[in-house]
Amino acid sequence: MKMFSKEVQIALVAVAGIVVMFFGLKFLKGMTLFSSADSYYAKFDNVAGLSVSSPIYSNGFRVGVVEDVIYNYEGANEIIAKLGLNNKMRLPNGTKAEISKDLMGNVELDLILGPNSVDLMEPGDTLFGHIQQSALAKASDMLPRIQQMLPKLDSILANVNLLLSDPALSSSIHNIDQITANLSSTTNELHNLSSNLKTQVPGMIEKADNVLENTNILTKNLSDLDIAMTMAKVNNTLQNVEQMTAKLNSNEGTIGLLMRDQELYRNAVSTMGHVDSLMIDLKQHPKRYVHFSIFGRKDR
Protein backbone atom coordinates (compact mmCIF):
# COMPACT_ATOMS: atom_id res chain seq x y z
CA MET A 1 0.00 0.00 0.00
CA LYS A 2 1.38 3.35 -0.90
CA MET A 3 1.88 6.05 1.84
CA PHE A 4 0.64 8.96 -0.34
CA SER A 5 -1.79 8.92 -3.08
CA LYS A 6 -1.07 10.36 -6.47
CA GLU A 7 -3.06 13.49 -5.68
CA VAL A 8 -1.11 14.14 -2.46
CA GLN A 9 2.22 13.75 -4.25
CA ILE A 10 1.17 16.29 -6.86
CA ALA A 11 0.12 18.72 -4.13
CA LEU A 12 3.44 18.34 -2.28
CA VAL A 13 5.42 18.96 -5.49
CA ALA A 14 3.35 22.08 -6.17
CA VAL A 15 3.97 23.44 -2.64
CA ALA A 16 7.68 22.74 -2.95
CA GLY A 17 7.74 24.54 -6.30
CA ILE A 18 6.00 27.57 -4.83
CA VAL A 19 8.50 27.71 -1.93
CA VAL A 20 11.46 27.39 -4.29
CA MET A 21 9.99 30.07 -6.55
CA PHE A 22 9.46 32.42 -3.59
CA PHE A 23 13.01 32.12 -2.33
CA GLY A 24 14.35 32.20 -5.88
CA LEU A 25 12.63 35.50 -6.53
CA LYS A 26 14.02 36.92 -3.30
CA PHE A 27 17.50 35.71 -4.27
CA LEU A 28 17.21 37.25 -7.74
CA LYS A 29 16.12 40.51 -6.18
CA GLY A 30 19.28 40.52 -4.06
CA MET A 31 17.51 39.90 -0.77
CA THR A 32 19.01 37.66 1.86
CA LEU A 33 17.32 34.36 2.30
CA PHE A 34 18.15 33.24 5.81
CA SER A 35 20.15 35.98 7.55
CA SER A 36 18.16 38.62 9.36
CA ALA A 37 18.28 42.29 8.23
CA ASP A 38 17.44 45.50 10.05
CA SER A 39 14.77 47.64 8.43
CA TYR A 40 15.01 51.40 8.07
CA TYR A 41 12.86 53.84 6.15
CA ALA A 42 13.72 56.69 3.81
CA LYS A 43 11.35 59.48 2.82
CA PHE A 44 11.51 60.93 -0.71
CA ASP A 45 9.62 63.47 -2.76
CA ASN A 46 10.70 61.69 -5.94
CA VAL A 47 12.29 58.25 -6.17
CA ALA A 48 13.48 58.71 -9.81
CA GLY A 49 12.83 55.06 -10.73
CA LEU A 50 13.95 53.49 -7.43
CA SER A 51 12.34 50.08 -7.14
CA VAL A 52 12.31 46.98 -5.01
CA SER A 53 15.64 45.07 -4.96
CA SER A 54 17.63 48.21 -5.88
CA PRO A 55 21.04 47.88 -4.20
CA ILE A 56 22.07 50.04 -1.23
CA TYR A 57 25.71 51.13 -0.92
CA SER A 58 27.77 52.74 1.81
CA ASN A 59 31.14 54.13 0.70
CA GLY A 60 30.86 52.00 -2.44
CA PHE A 61 30.20 48.75 -0.54
CA ARG A 62 26.86 46.96 -0.84
CA VAL A 63 25.16 46.79 2.56
CA GLY A 64 21.55 45.96 1.64
CA VAL A 65 18.65 46.22 -0.77
CA VAL A 66 15.42 48.17 -1.08
CA GLU A 67 12.74 45.85 0.22
CA ASP A 68 9.70 47.92 -0.63
CA VAL A 69 8.63 51.26 -2.09
CA ILE A 70 5.34 52.67 -0.73
CA TYR A 71 3.54 55.69 -2.07
CA ASN A 72 1.74 57.66 0.63
CA TYR A 73 -1.52 58.57 -1.04
CA GLU A 74 -2.82 60.27 2.09
CA GLY A 75 0.27 62.46 2.61
CA ALA A 76 1.75 65.25 0.57
CA ASN A 77 2.79 62.92 -2.25
CA GLU A 78 5.50 61.36 -0.07
CA ILE A 79 7.17 58.12 -1.05
CA ILE A 80 8.54 55.80 1.63
CA ALA A 81 11.25 53.28 0.78
CA LYS A 82 11.84 50.36 3.12
CA LEU A 83 15.55 49.63 3.41
CA GLY A 84 16.79 46.20 4.38
CA LEU A 85 20.35 46.62 5.76
CA ASN A 86 22.81 44.11 7.10
CA ASN A 87 22.22 43.75 10.84
CA LYS A 88 25.88 44.64 11.43
CA MET A 89 25.39 48.04 9.80
CA ARG A 90 25.16 50.96 12.22
CA LEU A 91 23.80 54.30 11.03
CA PRO A 92 24.86 57.50 12.85
CA ASN A 93 22.24 60.18 13.36
CA GLY A 94 22.10 62.55 10.42
CA THR A 95 22.61 59.77 7.84
CA LYS A 96 20.97 60.55 4.50
CA ALA A 97 19.76 58.32 1.67
CA GLU A 98 20.73 59.54 -1.80
CA ILE A 99 19.34 58.16 -5.05
CA SER A 100 21.85 58.16 -7.92
CA LYS A 101 21.97 56.93 -11.51
CA ASP A 102 24.93 55.77 -13.52
CA LEU A 103 25.43 56.46 -17.24
CA MET A 104 23.52 53.28 -18.11
CA GLY A 105 20.46 54.47 -16.22
CA ASN A 106 20.75 51.95 -13.36
CA VAL A 107 19.36 53.30 -10.10
CA GLU A 108 21.02 52.72 -6.74
CA LEU A 109 20.76 54.10 -3.23
CA ASP A 110 23.81 55.51 -1.44
CA LEU A 111 23.98 56.09 2.31
CA ILE A 112 25.67 59.34 3.31
CA LEU A 113 26.68 58.59 6.90
CA GLY A 114 26.31 61.22 9.59
CA PRO A 115 29.33 62.81 11.29
CA ASN A 116 28.67 61.49 14.82
CA SER A 117 29.58 57.80 15.02
CA VAL A 118 28.54 57.56 18.68
CA ASP A 119 24.94 58.76 18.45
CA LEU A 120 23.35 55.96 16.40
CA MET A 121 19.94 55.47 14.81
CA GLU A 122 17.72 52.58 15.76
CA PRO A 123 16.17 50.08 13.31
CA GLY A 124 12.84 51.42 12.13
CA ASP A 125 13.99 55.07 12.11
CA THR A 126 13.39 57.22 9.05
CA LEU A 127 16.19 58.78 6.97
CA PHE A 128 15.95 61.95 4.93
CA GLY A 129 16.22 61.13 1.23
CA HIS A 130 17.10 63.17 -1.85
CA ILE A 131 18.15 62.67 -5.46
CA GLN A 132 21.69 63.20 -6.69
CA GLN A 133 21.83 65.28 -9.82
CA SER A 134 22.95 63.08 -12.68
CA ALA A 135 25.50 63.99 -15.31
CA LEU A 136 22.74 64.42 -17.91
CA ALA A 137 20.85 66.75 -15.59
CA LYS A 138 24.00 68.78 -15.00
CA ALA A 139 24.52 68.97 -18.75
CA SER A 140 20.93 70.13 -19.25
CA ASP A 141 21.48 72.83 -16.61
CA MET A 142 24.48 74.00 -18.57
CA LEU A 143 22.57 74.32 -21.84
CA PRO A 144 21.27 77.87 -21.13
CA ARG A 145 24.79 79.05 -20.45
CA ILE A 146 26.05 77.34 -23.59
CA GLN A 147 23.29 79.01 -25.60
CA GLN A 148 24.35 82.38 -24.19
CA MET A 149 27.95 81.67 -25.18
CA LEU A 150 27.14 80.61 -28.75
CA PRO A 151 26.87 84.20 -30.18
CA LYS A 152 30.21 85.08 -28.59
CA LEU A 153 31.77 81.91 -29.97
CA ASP A 154 30.39 82.72 -33.40
CA SER A 155 31.88 86.24 -33.22
CA ILE A 156 35.24 84.85 -32.08
CA LEU A 157 35.29 82.32 -34.93
CA ALA A 158 34.42 85.06 -37.43
CA ASN A 159 37.31 87.20 -36.17
CA VAL A 160 39.66 84.21 -36.33
CA ASN A 161 38.64 83.51 -39.93
CA LEU A 162 39.14 87.17 -40.80
CA LEU A 163 42.57 87.10 -39.23
CA LEU A 164 43.54 83.93 -41.05
CA SER A 165 42.43 85.37 -44.38
CA ASP A 166 44.53 88.53 -43.91
CA PRO A 167 47.48 88.55 -46.39
CA ALA A 168 49.60 90.29 -43.76
CA LEU A 169 49.52 87.10 -41.70
CA SER A 170 51.04 85.02 -44.50
CA SER A 171 53.61 87.75 -45.06
CA SER A 172 54.46 87.74 -41.36
CA ILE A 173 54.83 83.97 -41.42
CA HIS A 174 57.15 84.30 -44.43
CA ASN A 175 59.18 86.93 -42.56
CA ILE A 176 59.37 84.61 -39.59
CA ASP A 177 60.79 81.93 -41.88
CA GLN A 178 63.43 84.37 -43.10
CA ILE A 179 64.23 85.43 -39.55
CA THR A 180 64.57 81.78 -38.57
CA ALA A 181 66.92 81.18 -41.50
CA ASN A 182 68.99 84.25 -40.54
CA LEU A 183 69.14 83.09 -36.97
CA SER A 184 70.31 79.68 -38.14
CA SER A 185 73.01 81.31 -40.28
CA THR A 186 74.08 83.56 -37.40
CA THR A 187 74.23 80.54 -35.12
CA ASN A 188 76.51 78.75 -37.59
CA GLU A 189 78.76 81.81 -37.83
CA LEU A 190 78.92 82.05 -34.06
CA HIS A 191 79.80 78.37 -33.94
CA ASN A 192 82.60 78.88 -36.47
CA LEU A 193 83.82 81.94 -34.58
CA SER A 194 83.81 79.97 -31.36
CA SER A 195 85.80 77.19 -33.04
CA ASN A 196 88.35 79.71 -34.37
CA LEU A 197 88.65 81.31 -30.97
CA LYS A 198 89.29 77.91 -29.43
CA THR A 199 92.19 77.38 -31.85
CA GLN A 200 93.59 80.95 -31.58
CA VAL A 201 93.15 81.60 -27.90
CA PRO A 202 96.07 79.34 -26.81
CA GLY A 203 98.48 81.23 -29.13
CA MET A 204 97.12 84.56 -27.96
CA ILE A 205 97.53 83.48 -24.35
CA GLU A 206 101.12 82.41 -25.08
CA LYS A 207 101.86 85.80 -26.67
CA ALA A 208 100.25 87.56 -23.75
CA ASP A 209 102.47 85.52 -21.42
CA ASN A 210 105.53 86.61 -23.41
CA VAL A 211 104.45 90.24 -23.23
CA LEU A 212 103.91 89.95 -19.51
CA GLU A 213 107.31 88.31 -19.13
CA ASN A 214 109.00 91.13 -21.10
CA THR A 215 107.08 93.65 -19.04
CA ASN A 216 108.32 92.01 -15.87
CA ILE A 217 111.90 92.09 -17.19
CA LEU A 218 111.55 95.78 -18.09
CA THR A 219 110.07 96.53 -14.70
CA LYS A 220 112.94 94.68 -13.02
CA ASN A 221 115.51 96.58 -15.11
CA LEU A 222 113.85 99.86 -14.23
CA SER A 223 113.86 98.91 -10.58
CA ASP A 224 117.58 98.07 -10.82
CA LEU A 225 118.46 101.54 -12.18
CA ASP A 226 119.95 104.10 -9.81
CA ILE A 227 117.45 106.81 -10.53
CA ALA A 228 119.04 109.23 -8.05
CA MET A 229 122.44 109.02 -9.75
CA THR A 230 120.86 109.33 -13.18
CA MET A 231 118.94 112.42 -12.12
CA ALA A 232 122.15 113.88 -10.63
CA LYS A 233 123.94 113.44 -13.99
CA VAL A 234 121.02 114.99 -15.81
CA ASN A 235 121.04 117.95 -13.43
CA ASN A 236 124.83 118.35 -13.90
CA THR A 237 124.41 118.32 -17.68
CA LEU A 238 121.64 120.91 -17.46
CA GLN A 239 123.88 123.10 -15.28
CA ASN A 240 126.71 122.91 -17.86
CA VAL A 241 124.28 123.83 -20.63
CA GLU A 242 123.01 126.70 -18.51
CA GLN A 243 126.60 127.95 -17.89
CA MET A 244 127.44 127.74 -21.59
CA THR A 245 124.26 129.65 -22.43
CA ALA A 246 125.19 132.29 -19.88
CA LYS A 247 128.66 132.69 -21.40
CA LEU A 248 127.18 132.98 -24.85
CA ASN A 249 124.88 135.70 -23.61
CA SER A 250 127.79 137.56 -21.92
CA ASN A 251 130.66 139.55 -23.56
CA GLU A 252 133.25 137.05 -22.38
CA GLY A 253 134.87 134.71 -24.88
CA THR A 254 135.09 134.83 -28.63
CA ILE A 255 131.62 133.48 -29.32
CA GLY A 256 130.16 135.84 -26.75
CA LEU A 257 131.94 138.81 -28.33
CA LEU A 258 130.81 137.77 -31.77
CA MET A 259 127.23 137.56 -30.55
CA ARG A 260 127.32 140.80 -28.53
CA ASP A 261 129.84 143.15 -30.27
CA GLN A 262 128.24 144.45 -33.48
CA GLU A 263 131.41 146.19 -34.66
CA LEU A 264 133.41 143.00 -34.34
CA TYR A 265 130.65 141.22 -36.20
CA ARG A 266 130.76 143.81 -39.05
CA ASN A 267 134.57 143.59 -39.25
CA ALA A 268 134.39 139.81 -39.39
CA VAL A 269 131.78 140.03 -42.13
CA SER A 270 133.92 142.56 -44.04
CA THR A 271 137.01 140.40 -43.68
CA MET A 272 135.15 137.40 -44.93
CA GLY A 273 134.00 139.51 -47.88
CA HIS A 274 137.59 140.51 -48.74
CA VAL A 275 138.74 136.91 -48.42
CA ASP A 276 135.96 135.86 -50.72
CA SER A 277 136.92 138.52 -53.29
CA LEU A 278 140.53 137.43 -53.02
CA MET A 279 139.64 133.82 -53.65
CA ILE A 280 137.56 134.80 -56.66
CA ASP A 281 140.41 136.88 -58.11
CA LEU A 282 142.85 134.05 -57.38
CA LYS A 283 140.72 131.68 -59.38
CA GLN A 284 140.39 134.13 -62.24
CA HIS A 285 144.08 135.36 -62.38
CA PRO A 286 146.21 132.71 -60.71
CA LYS A 287 149.36 133.97 -62.54
CA ARG A 288 149.22 137.19 -60.64
CA TYR A 289 149.95 135.33 -57.43
CA VAL A 290 151.89 132.20 -58.50
CA HIS A 291 154.55 132.16 -61.33
CA PHE A 292 156.88 129.34 -62.31
CA SER A 293 159.77 129.81 -64.76
CA ILE A 294 162.48 127.45 -65.77
CA PHE A 295 164.82 130.35 -66.77
CA GLY A 296 164.27 132.46 -63.79
CA ARG A 297 161.86 135.12 -62.73
CA LYS A 298 160.91 137.80 -65.17
CA ASP A 299 159.76 141.09 -63.87
CA ARG A 300 156.35 142.03 -65.08
Side-chain angles (χ1 to χ4, degrees):
M1 179 179 178
K2 295 182 179 180
M3 295 180 60
F4 300 102
S5 63
K6 190 173 182 180
E7 290 78 4
V8 173
Q9 291 178 358
I10 294 172
L12 291 175
V13 171
V15 171
I18 292 172
V19 171
V20 171
M21 184 180 295
F22 174 76
F23 286 105
L25 289 175
K26 290 180 67 68
F27 177 78
L28 291 175
K29 290 180 179 180
M31 299 179 182
T32 57
L33 301 179
F34 303 104
S35 62
S36 59
D38 292 335
S39 296
Y40 294 84
Y41 297 92
K43 186 184 296 184
F44 297 94
D45 295 331
N46 186 348
V47 292
L50 184 69
S51 60
V52 177
S53 74
S54 294
I56 302 174
Y57 294 93
S58 176
N59 297 325
F61 185 81
R62 181 169 176 170
V63 294
V65 294
V66 176
E67 294 183 347
D68 197 5
V69 179
I70 304 169
Y71 187 84
N72 185 6
Y73 294 97
E74 297 179 358
N77 298 328
E78 293 179 346
I79 302 175
I80 306 298
K82 183 180 179 182
L83 313 180
L85 303 180
N86 191 306
N87 55 8
K88 296 180 181 180
M89 186 68 186
R90 297 292 182 267
L91 300 181
N93 273 328
T95 300
K96 298 179 181 180
E98 182 180 76
I99 298 175
S100 62
K101 286 185 178 181
D102 57 17
L103 295 177
M104 301 299 295
N106 298 320
V107 181
E108 62 185 36
L109 189 65
D110 295 323
L111 297 178
I112 310 300
L113 300 180
N116 191 354
S117 61
V118 178
D119 187 11
L120 301 177
M121 299 178 67
E122 296 294 334
D125 290 345
T126 302
L127 287 68
F128 174 76
H130 65 96
I131 300 175
Q132 182 188 41
Q133 192 175 19
S134 62
L136 293 176
K138 293 179 181 179
S140 63
D141 292 341
M142 293 176 62
L143 285 177
R145 298 182 182 178
I146 295 175
Q147 290 176 352
Q148 292 178 358
M149 292 174 61
L150 286 177
K152 297 181 180 179
L153 290 174
D154 185 55
S155 177
I156 292 172
L157 291 175
N159 292 329
V160 170
N161 291 329
L162 182 62
L163 178 63
L164 293 176
S165 62
D166 191 353
L169 181 62
S170 59
S171 178
S172 300
I173 295 174
H174 180 68
N175 292 333
I176 290 173
D177 292 337
Q178 290 183 347
I179 292 172
T180 304
N182 293 334
L183 287 175
S184 178
S185 176
T186 303
T187 303
N188 293 331
E189 292 178 358
L190 288 174
H191 179 71
N192 295 332
L193 179 61
S194 176
S195 301
N196 293 332
L197 286 176
K198 287 181 180 179
T199 57
Q200 294 178 4
V201 163
M204 295 172 62
I205 293 176
E206 184 178 357
K207 292 180 180 179
D209 291 337
N210 295 332
V211 172
L212 290 175
E213 184 178 358
N214 294 333
T215 304
N216 292 331
I217 294 173
L218 177 61
T219 304
K220 185 176 182 302
N221 293 333
L222 289 175
S223 63
D224 293 339
L225 290 176
D226 191 350
I227 297 177
M229 183 179 293
T230 303
M231 293 302 298
K233 292 181 180 179
V234 171
N235 290 332
N236 190 16
T237 302
L238 291 175
Q239 289 177 359
N240 293 333
V241 172
E242 185 177 359
Q243 290 176 1
M244 183 178 68
T245 304
K247 289 182 179 180
L248 289 175
N249 292 329
S250 66
N251 293 329
E252 298 178 358
T254 304
I255 297 177
L257 290 174
L258 287 174
M259 293 179 63
R260 292 291 180 180
D261 193 345
Q262 295 182 359
E263 185 66 24
L264 180 61
Y265 173 75
R266 285 194 291 270
N267 291 334
V269 172
S270 178
T271 301
M272 291 300 295
H274 288 100
V275 172
D276 185 59
S277 299
L278 180 61
M279 292 301 295
I280 293 172
D281 187 61
L282 180 62
K283 288 181 180 181
Q284 293 177 352
H285 308 93
K287 293 182 179 181
R288 291 181 181 178
Y289 304 95
V290 180
H291 178 72
F292 293 95
S293 177
I294 299 175
F295 303 103
R297 181 178 179 182
K298 184 185 290 183
D299 293 334
R300 294 183 62 184

